[in-house]
Amino acid sequence: MRPYLTVIYDSFHEAFVSRVLYILLLALTLVLLAIAPLGYETKRMVTLHRMSIRDVPSFVNELRRQDNAAGENPGKRIVSLAGGPLKELVNAKEDARFTGGQVNDVVDGLNDVLTKKDFYSEVAWKDVRLGEETKVLLKQGPDKLTGDDLSYFNRLLMRDAYPVYLGNVPAEQLYLTYPLLWEPLPLPITQDMFAMTVKYMLTGFIDVFVGMFAIFVAILVTAPIMPRTFEPGAIDLLLSKPISRSLLILAKYLGGCAFVLLSVTYFLVGLWLIVGWRFDIWSNSLLLCIPVFLFQFAIYYCVSVLAGVMWRNSIVSIVVTVLFFYACFGIGFLKTSVFEPFIINPTRLVRLVETDEGLVGVTQVGQFVQWNESQDAWEVVLQSERRGPENFAMQSILIGPIYHAPSKSMMYLQQPTGGGPRRRMGGGGASFLTAKWSGNWVPEEGPGPPTGASWILQDAKDNVLVVSSAGVFLYEGDGTQKKANFLGFDIPLGGNNAFKRLGPNEGVPYFPPFAAAIDPASGRLLIENQGSLYLLQRDPKKGYVVATEVKREGEGGTVVGLTGKLAVVADEQGHIELRDAQTLEVQKSFRPAGDTPPSALETSPDGKFIAVLFHDGALWLYDVEAGEGSRIDSDSSAIAFDEDKLAFADNKTRVRVRSLSTGETLETYWPASDWWRFSYDWVIQPIYYVFPKPGELNNLLKYLVTDESTSSFQGPQSTGDLREVRMADNIVMPVVHNLIFICVMLGITCFYVSRLDL
């Protein structure tokens, strides 16, 4: 054993004396010194910014309505004290869209009002429910408040008066600090998001700096180790000892890996200390990235070792390793950046709805498709509005569609995600759209929905309900938006008079991303909002009232369902809770897909079955009467119930219709493959499957640091809504494939050396 340890030490020492190593260590040290002064601080939020107001046009409309109403109210106080630009916007005609400059005028006008000592009026706020913090400051006396205390008090008054538009504004503002900056830089994130944001940034930083730059330098440093082994004199001395040739090669290989282990450990331990000291985030999982990067280097180094043994030239060894890197990158690029985003994903079905005219699906890019039996293909019948790069994913969340049989129309909402342009412009509101059947599906933009409209539901009487931040609304329109003709152009009229509010008065506002579901038979609703569950009962006189309210354990996004017997809650950690439909007490809990978050939850019309779809394609079906659940598919992308049948689509755009009573497949819609699909299924995927995947270890890296196993197309701008298009990251497969590749390459190298005539 001692001779092999000596070989390992000699290999490590050979790399250690390289000048390139010292350049690498110097670069790593300079990077650590550069980021060490970074820090953060929290200050009380005494101003508003663009993202503080949800749906700016609707907020201005509310100010306009209050300003025109009789008597004193908060809106009149704001308008009377505001500067010219905000007053002009309030006094102007209603407009559904604002420019960036107009949003700034609103924000600046409100911030100016926050500094006014005479903003509060007891008469104006007599009908407003004040928060506890507001009451404490009110007892101190507004006249005695000055500076930031006054601005903070006025901000609380605005929040209490307009909870739907300003209710989710955090109490504190985060600032990034650095000695070279004159002023702290405000961060557009909350305290709750801070730790996760730092972890995401760490993941990207170390993946680029260590996973690419440092490992490339390590290849340069360690490439000469194997060729020098076969130089005259060196190999003779080694073979004069009673050691195995294969074990000699493996010892040299481990010596090079030991050198990289030291370098990566030095950098990541230093980074761990800085992040913990400066940001108070002691992420021990960051240290687990050390073996990940060592493993990534081992993949490239086994190729370098084989090339060094065969050609005995360090330059050739480096070139072969670089070519191997580009080959891995090329195969991965073809699959994940060419075929999948431009050919496969655009046709992937993410919604299904049964209509009188047949099964309709919605693709990942927002196309409505219907099955054409004569062509054995999905035919595009409707194109929804897209936002952003259409070939990657909808930059808006399509909510629904539902089929309204009396009007023979599909109805749906489109809600911009956190990074959508309308959200950046202060809009952030959903659009209500319909598609009526008249020999074909004819799209029509409906009336403006309530602020924060996030769910569209339908009861057994075909009543259409929209659940928004302000509560539950009954849709009473005809599916069209009122328009006025001006100079030959149709001008949409504002307002949402087509929606009648049905309550409730408790528990609102709901802050997105909240979850909602309906029991069609009884008309009851289940709402999940910031960790609280609300069971809403329909009262003939009062509308919807809160019948039961419970606080659930756990945080983050959810999807919910409701039947006559059970209330179902599935959270983003993959837990499924079955609760009593009256008391909302937990009865059973499952985790059928591990920690993969769900994307959809549906209940059958009779309430006897519950289906949960996960972002990794797993489909779980629960039989309420039998009290048992089972995983019925592992590649699903959309689900829909129709009486006693369940339709579900897979990633090949195939739809199967399953009988709920027998479990048999009744129908299958399987489109014929075109040339591009055939190439992907039979050429790209097989090559990608057998090829090593060193680049995909970044999924494992992200999972270790952030504890998330899925990726949203919106990235850091994601709203957290589980209905957003996400892709499940395969963590295990790249590790297994890469480990097999290392073993095969080292096996070939050892066999080759054993057959050499030295």
Side-chain angles (χ1 to χ4, degrees):
M1 188 66 183
R2 188 173 181 180
Y4 299 111
L5 293 176
T6 303
V7 172
I8 294 175
Y9 173 78
D10 290 342
S11 301
F12 177 80
H13 182 266
E14 186 175 349
F16 194 77
V17 298
S18 171
R19 292 181 180 178
V20 180
L21 169 65
Y22 292 104
I23 296 175
L24 173 62
L25 292 177
L26 178 61
L28 295 177
T29 303
L30 291 176
V31 171
L32 292 176
L33 291 175
I35 64 177
L38 273 174
Y40 81 102
E41 62 181 18
T42 58
K43 295 181 180 180
R44 194 166 52 176
M45 179 79 79
V46 295
T47 59
L48 300 171
H49 51 78
R50 293 167 66 98
M51 298 304 293
S52 299
I53 310 171
R54 179 177 176 81
D55 196 351
V56 173
S58 296
F59 175 65
V60 172
N61 290 338
E62 179 63 18
L63 291 180
R64 182 182 297 115
R65 185 190 67 80
Q66 291 192 3
D67 188 45
N68 294 329
E72 282 289 316
N73 57 60
K76 280 194 174 182
R77 297 297 301 162
I78 292 175
V79 175
S80 64
L81 297 174
L86 179 55
K87 278 187 178 180
E88 292 176 2
L89 287 173
V90 173
N91 294 328
K93 66 178 182 179
E94 185 176 334
D95 191 356
R97 294 179 183 271
F98 273 33
T99 66
Q102 289 174 321
V103 173
N104 288 334
D105 290 340
V106 174
V107 175
D108 293 341
L110 293 178
N111 284 331
D112 184 50
V113 172
L114 292 180
T115 62
K116 306 296 184 181
K117 268 187 170 294
D118 56 345
F119 177 54
Y120 174 72
S121 167
E122 184 176 354
V123 176
W125 264 264
K126 65 178 180 178
D127 296 326
V128 175
R129 185 187 305 171
L130 299 180
E132 293 300 323
E133 197 174 3
T134 312
K135 292 178 181 178
V136 172
L137 292 175
L138 185 60
K139 287 182 180 179
Q140 297 180 15
D143 296 337
K144 299 178 181 179
L145 300 176
T146 58
D148 288 350
D149 291 335
L150 176 64
S151 297
Y152 186 67
F153 172 66
N154 288 339
R155 190 185 71 82
L156 293 178
L157 289 174
M158 283 191 187
R159 180 203 65 182
D160 296 340
Y162 305 99
V164 173
Y165 305 101
L166 304 174
N168 211 21
V169 178
E172 294 183 329
Q173 172 75 57
L174 291 174
Y175 291 85
L176 184 68
T177 61
Y178 196 80
L180 298 180
L181 295 177
W182 289 102
E183 294 182 0
L185 181 67
L187 299 175
I189 56 175
T190 63
Q191 185 75 42
D192 296 337
M193 300 169 56
F194 180 69
M196 184 57 67
T197 302
V198 171
K199 289 180 180 180
Y200 265 109
M201 295 180 66
L202 275 177
T203 302
F205 175 72
I206 61 178
D207 184 39
V208 173
F209 194 80
V210 179
M212 295 184 64
F213 171 72
I215 287 183
F216 177 74
V217 174
I219 292 294
L220 296 180
V221 173
T222 57
I225 293 178
M226 199 56 64
R228 289 175 183 171
T229 304
F230 294 92
E231 291 180 353
I235 189 65
D236 298 334
L237 179 62
L238 289 172
L239 295 181
S240 65
K241 301 176 183 179
I243 58 176
S244 166
R245 291 186 180 185
S246 297
L247 293 179
L248 170 64
I249 295 300
L250 293 178
K252 286 282 186 179
Y253 177 78
L254 292 176
C257 291
F259 153 74
V260 174
L261 176 63
L262 177 65
S263 303
V264 172
T265 301
Y266 167 73
F267 181 75
L268 290 184
V269 169
L271 192 62
W272 174 73
L273 291 172
I274 291 173
V275 172
W277 169 49
R278 298 295 295 165
F279 295 97
D280 198 26
I281 301 175
W282 296 97
S283 178
N284 295 331
S285 56
L286 185 62
L287 300 178
L288 296 177
C289 297
I290 296 174
V292 175
F293 285 116
L294 177 62
F295 184 56
Q296 190 174 29
F297 169 78
I299 300 169
Y300 295 114
Y301 192 45
C302 70
V303 176
S304 176
V305 167
L306 177 60
V309 167
M310 295 182 67
W311 285 283
R312 304 179 190 180
N313 186 296
S314 59
I315 301 298
V316 174
S317 180
I318 294 171
V319 171
V320 170
T321 305
V322 172
L323 291 177
F324 168 73
F325 165 80
Y326 281 114
C328 294
F329 174 80
I331 293 296
F333 180 82
L334 275 177
K335 179 180 182 291
T336 61
S337 299
V338 177
F339 273 85
E340 288 184 351
F342 290 98
I343 298 169
I344 305 304
N345 289 343
T347 61
R348 181 172 176 257
L349 297 175
V350 295
R351 302 283 190 276
L352 292 174
V353 58
E354 288 283 355
T355 72
D356 292 341
E357 312 307 323
L359 184 67
V360 174
V362 183
T363 67
Q364 185 168 293
V365 295
Q367 290 179 333
F368 284 64
V369 295
Q370 195 164 354
W371 182 252
N372 188 321
E373 286 194 29
S374 62
Q375 299 181 3
D376 281 340
W378 291 102
E379 184 179 14
V380 178
V381 293
L382 185 66
Q383 183 70 59
S384 69
E385 179 186 359
R386 293 191 186 103
R387 297 182 177 89
E390 62 181 26
N391 288 319
F392 290 89
M394 290 182 292
Q395 297 298 306
S396 57
I397 302 172
L398 192 145
I399 302 167
I402 62 170
Y403 180 67
H404 189 248
S407 63
K408 291 187 176 296
S409 61
M410 291 186 293
M411 300 181 182
Y412 56 100
L413 299 167
Q414 276 192 324
Q415 183 187 67
T417 61
R422 289 185 64 188
R423 182 68 174 269
R424 288 195 295 269
M425 289 295 102
S431 301
F432 183 84
L433 303 109
T434 65
K436 290 189 176 183
W437 177 262
S438 57
N440 202 351
W441 295 105
V442 179
E444 178 73 34
E445 185 171 358
T451 298
S454 298
W455 294 86
I456 182 169
L457 308 170
Q458 190 174 17
D459 63 17
K461 297 179 180 179
D462 290 319
N463 292 316
V464 177
L465 303 174
V466 171
V467 186
S468 76
S469 298
V472 183
F473 291 79
L474 174 66
Y475 175 61
E476 297 181 321
D478 59 358
T480 60
Q481 184 181 38
K482 295 181 180 180
K483 299 178 180 179
N485 189 278
F486 179 72
L487 298 179
F489 296 95
D490 288 334
I491 308 299
L493 297 178
N496 52 8
N497 295 327
F499 295 91
K500 176 184 177 182
R501 189 176 187 277
L502 299 181
N505 295 323
E506 300 89 15
V508 291
Y510 303 136
F511 297 117
F514 64 90
I518 189 171
D519 175 21
S522 64
R524 295 179 307 153
L525 295 176
L526 179 66
I527 309 289
E528 196 282 338
N529 179 42
Q530 295 189 325
S532 295
L533 285 173
Y534 303 93
L535 183 64
L536 306 184
Q537 190 80 35
R538 181 77 177 266
D539 184 276
K541 296 181 179 179
K542 299 180 180 179
Y544 277 99
V545 295
V546 177
T548 308
E549 177 184 352
V550 298
K551 190 74 175 177
R552 57 175 292 270
E553 296 181 0
E555 298 178 351
T558 61
V559 289
V560 298
L562 185 63
T563 69
K565 295 181 178 180
L566 292 175
V568 192
V569 181
D571 64 24
E572 65 181 8
Q573 285 78 37
H575 298 100
I576 299 176
E577 297 175 346
L578 301 183
R579 296 170 175 261
D580 183 82
Q582 302 297 331
T583 64
L584 299 183
E585 295 296 325
V586 178
Q587 295 182 341
K588 293 182 180 180
S589 182
F590 302 90
R591 206 176 190 183
D595 59 357
T596 303
S599 60
L601 192 157
E602 298 286 343
T603 59
S604 61
D606 57 10
K608 294 181 179 180
F609 289 90
I610 300 166
V612 182
L613 177 63
F614 294 86
H615 279 286
D616 65 352
L619 176 57
W620 187 73
L621 184 66
Y622 184 79
D623 188 330
V624 176
E625 293 184 346
E628 296 178 350
S630 61
R631 185 167 172 164
I632 64 172
D633 196 56
S634 58
D635 192 33
S636 296
S637 58
I639 55 175
F641 282 103
D642 180 32
E643 296 179 353
D644 62 341
K645 296 178 291 184
L646 173 65
F648 55 98
D650 62 22
N651 286 320
K652 297 183 185 297
T653 67
R654 176 182 58 179
V655 174
R656 285 169 285 175
V657 181
R658 172 191 175 105
S659 170
L660 294 174
S661 57
T662 64
E664 298 178 351
T665 300
L666 303 177
E667 293 179 89
T668 300
Y669 305 90
W670 197 338
S673 297
D674 58 12
W675 187 88
W676 291 103
R677 183 82 207 198
F678 181 85
S679 300
Y680 176 81
D681 290 338
W682 297 100
V683 179
I684 299 299
Q685 269 200 317
I687 294 177
Y688 178 80
Y689 184 81
V690 301
F691 226 70
K693 305 167 185 62
E696 286 204 10
L697 290 176
N698 60 357
N699 292 335
L700 176 59
L701 187 73
K702 180 174 74 72
Y703 177 75
L704 290 174
V705 178
T706 66
D707 198 30
E708 291 194 358
S709 58
T710 59
S711 300
S712 169
F713 283 90
Q714 276 70 45
Q717 297 180 335
S718 170
T719 63
D721 196 313
L722 296 181
R723 295 169 296 181
E724 285 181 359
V725 176
R726 301 185 184 188
M727 302 302 292
D729 298 327
N730 197 321
I731 298 170
V732 178
M733 188 185 72
V735 175
V736 174
H737 286 197
N738 290 326
L739 185 60
I740 294 174
F741 177 77
I742 291 175
C743 294
V744 170
M745 294 297 290
L746 290 179
I748 294 173
T749 304
C750 292
F751 177 78
Y752 182 82
V753 171
S754 66
R755 307 292 295 178
L756 282 177
D757 185 15
L758 298 173

